[in-house]
Amino acid sequence: MARTDLSTSRRKEREREAHRRAILNAAEKVLILRGYHKATVEQIAQAADFSVGTLYNFFKNKEEMYIEVLEKISEEFRGDFDRTVKGENDAVMAL
């Protein structure tokens, strides 16, 4: 693969990942505001500033977005918890 092709490929992959993050951030906001059952893929697409079809290029359905949002929140919580607990010498204060 030529050097130009490789850099173009990397750029496209970075753009794709940025779009995916933007969609997940929008999904998180819409799901928090409306709840899973009232939130629609159309609302998430509008919040992300993408077409509905673009969302389906990244995710199979709303449930898949929801699961990834929950995983992201869970990872953030675990990271915050670990930093807090590991930074505290007193076990009672850590909790």
Side-chain angles (χ1 to χ4, degrees), residues 47-91:
D49 203 25
F50 289 109
S51 70
V52 171
T54 299
L55 268 64
Y56 286 116
N57 287 329
F58 289 88
F59 301 95
K60 184 169 60 173
N61 53 33
K62 180 175 76 171
E63 181 179 5
E64 187 176 35
M65 282 185 261
Y66 180 68
I67 290 168
E68 290 210 29
V69 166
L70 290 179
E71 288 172 352
K72 175 182 171 274
I73 291 170
S74 177
E75 287 174 17
E76 290 171 354
F77 176 78
R78 273 193 304 267
D80 291 345
F81 181 80
D82 287 347
R83 279 187 296 282
T84 301
V85 171
K86 288 178 183 175
E88 185 58 58
N89 292 328
D90 182 354

